[in-house]
Amino acid sequence: MQEAFTRTRLSGYVEHIDSVASQVIANDWAENDPRFLFHPAAKELTLDIASVVFMGHQPGTDRELVTTINHAFTTTPAPATRSCASPYDH
């Protein structure tokens, strides 16, 4: 996975990041809606970008598949980070 984060590779991701972010923000994010929740929307945007960059899957083409992939991205590292949780988090 380290090879995915070299300077050359990271600079190559910029075009994908810009494309996905521009599309999602313009089409999916609510404007002037007090019910809009930024954190969940930003998390989903980040996962959409990751699915494009690392898996070549374009957002909006198969919402069910992207949702499944995003769920896998968030649940896979959960057991590894759980041991770092504070005992006061419960």
Side-chain angles (χ1 to χ4, degrees):
M1 191 74 174
Q2 289 177 340
E3 291 181 18
F5 298 101
T6 63
R7 182 180 183 91
T8 304
R9 297 268 174 102
L10 289 171
S11 65
Y13 301 151
V14 172
E15 184 179 328
H16 297 295
I17 293 168
D18 181 51
S19 171
V20 174
S22 296
Q23 177 185 346
V24 168
I25 291 170
N27 299 326
D28 298 341
W29 284 22
E31 192 172 324
N32 298 322
D33 184 349
R35 298 170 297 164
F36 178 74
L37 300 175
F38 177 76
H39 183 265
K43 181 179 179 181
E44 184 174 350
L45 173 60
T46 303
L47 294 169
D48 286 343
I49 291 169
S51 70
V52 170
V53 170
F54 297 118
M55 302 181 78
H57 190 272
Q58 293 301 315
T61 56
D62 186 347
R63 195 74 202 137
E64 186 176 332
L65 177 62
V66 172
T67 300
T68 302
I69 292 168
N70 287 351
H71 180 72
F73 272 131
T74 58
T75 56
T76 301
T81 58
R82 200 164 321 282
S83 64
C84 300
S86 166
Y88 303 106
D89 288 344
H90 303 289

